Amino acid sequence: MKGQDWYQADEVAEEYDDVRFSGGGQLIDRREKEAVLAALGPIDPGHRVLEVACGTGRFTTMLADQGADVVGLDVSREMLEQAREKVAAAGHADTVEFLRGDASRLPFPDDHFDTVVAMRFFHLMDDPVPFAKELRRVSRDQVFFDTFNRRSLRTLYTWLLPMGSRLYSERQVAAMLGEAGLTLSNEEHDFVLPYGFYRELPGPVARPFRAADELAGNTIPGDYVASVSYWDARVPDDA
C-alpha cells in the first residue's frame, strides 16, 4: 500500500476531515455519501456491512444511522481513533465494531457480510486483484467501491500526492472484477473537475462550479473524462 507512513501519522488523522471535506470539500463528501446510499438502497435492520479503509468513519457513521450492522477496518490506528470518536458522538458506540487490519487477509469467514464498501481504497493499490478477491470472498452479495480515472484531469497532478494514486481505465476495472469473480451491476462517473480543485475553494464559491460540473458530466464527453467512478459489483447467483 502506498504512503502508509503518511496515512498513519497523528497529524494527518486529526486534520483529515477538515482538510478534505470542509469548504468546497463538503460537495465531495455529500456526493460520495449519496453514491454509497444509492448503491445499497433501503437498508434492512441487521444488514451486515464491512467498510474497508473506513478512515475517520464518515461512511461508518452514516451506515449505522441507516440501521446497518457495521464493521470498520483500517490499517491506521490513528484514523480508527477518529472514527471511534465520531461514531460515539452519533450514539453508535455499542453497535459498530472497529478493527485494525490488512484488507488482503480479512479475519472473517466466507460470505460473512451482505455488503462490502471500499471507498478511497483501490487508488492505493499497486496490485488490486488480490484485494478485490478478498473483498468478494467475505461478501455474500455486493462490493461497492470507487476508482480514479486514467483519462481524467487527475493525471496532471496525481504524482504530487503524498500517497500517490493509481488511476484505472474501465477495461482495467472490468478485468479486476472478472478475476475476483464479481459482475458489474451499475457504474457512475462524476467530477469533471478533480477533487483537488474543490478543496481549494470556499463552499459558496465552489457550488457554482459544481453545478457547471454536473451539467458537463451529463454529456457524453463529460462522462468520458470524469475523474471519479463508482462501481456497484455483485456476487453472481451461481457463485
Side-chain angles (χ1 to χ4, degrees):
M1 183 180 289
K2 300 177 181 178
Q4 283 199 51
D5 291 342
W6 176 86
Y7 183 72
Q8 297 182 69
D10 286 340
E11 61 273 16
V12 171
E14 292 171 0
E15 300 175 357
Y16 191 82
D17 285 356
D18 288 340
V19 170
R20 284 161 177 73
F21 306 116
S22 62
Q26 292 177 353
L27 300 173
I28 302 168
D29 181 59
R30 184 181 308 149
R31 177 64 179 99
E32 290 183 332
K33 289 176 177 175
E34 288 173 351
V36 172
L37 290 179
L40 270 64
I43 297 176
D44 296 326
H47 188 93
R48 292 173 299 177
V49 179
L50 171 65
E51 185 190 353
V52 171
C54 67
T56 61
R58 290 189 301 129
F59 302 108
T60 321
T61 306
M62 177 190 73
L63 293 168
D65 284 339
Q66 298 296 313
D69 292 339
V70 190
V71 175
L73 180 137
D74 203 281
V75 71
S76 169
R77 181 181 291 107
E78 292 73 17
M79 289 285 184
L80 289 174
E81 287 303 315
Q82 297 293 318
R84 288 189 180 96
E85 292 179 9
K86 189 174 297 181
V87 164
H92 299 302
D94 295 332
T95 59
V96 174
E97 181 182 0
F98 288 106
L99 295 174
R100 184 172 185 238
D102 181 353
S104 67
R105 295 185 296 274
L106 295 171
F108 307 106
D110 295 355
D111 306 328
H112 187 67
F113 296 94
D114 299 297
T115 298
V116 176
V117 174
M119 296 290 287
R120 304 295 186 98
F121 176 70
F122 278 103
H123 72 288
L124 305 175
M125 301 299 108
D126 292 320
D127 182 6
V129 172
F131 292 91
K133 289 181 177 179
E134 187 68 352
L135 302 193
R136 182 260 174 267
R137 181 186 67 78
V138 301
S139 176
R140 183 186 62 82
D141 178 53
Q142 181 182 31
V143 177
F144 182 77
F145 62 98
D146 64 344
T147 60
F148 296 126
N149 298 333
R150 293 184 64 180
R151 62 195 182 203
S152 70
L153 291 173
R154 193 177 176 91
T155 59
L156 300 178
Y157 72 92
T158 189
W159 58 275
L160 292 172
L161 300 176
M163 291 198 70
S165 187
R166 182 187 176 97
L167 307 181
Y168 292 78
S169 67
E170 289 191 50
R171 181 176 298 178
Q172 287 174 315
V173 172
M176 179 178 72
L177 293 178
E179 290 189 60
L182 290 162
T183 60
L184 183 62
S185 174
N186 189 44
E187 63 184 272
E188 293 185 354
H189 311 282
D190 204 346
F191 287 98
V192 176
L193 297 172
Y195 284 167
F197 173 81
Y198 288 99
R199 293 193 187 112
E200 299 300 319
L201 301 177
V205 177
R207 282 193 285 273
F209 284 101
R210 177 59 179 151
D213 193 322
E214 290 177 310
L215 288 175
N218 288 328
T219 67
I220 293 176
D223 190 70
Y224 184 80
V225 298
S227 61
V228 182
S229 293
Y230 306 107
W231 309 95
D232 183 5
R234 303 297 174 121
V235 177
D237 291 337
D238 59 351

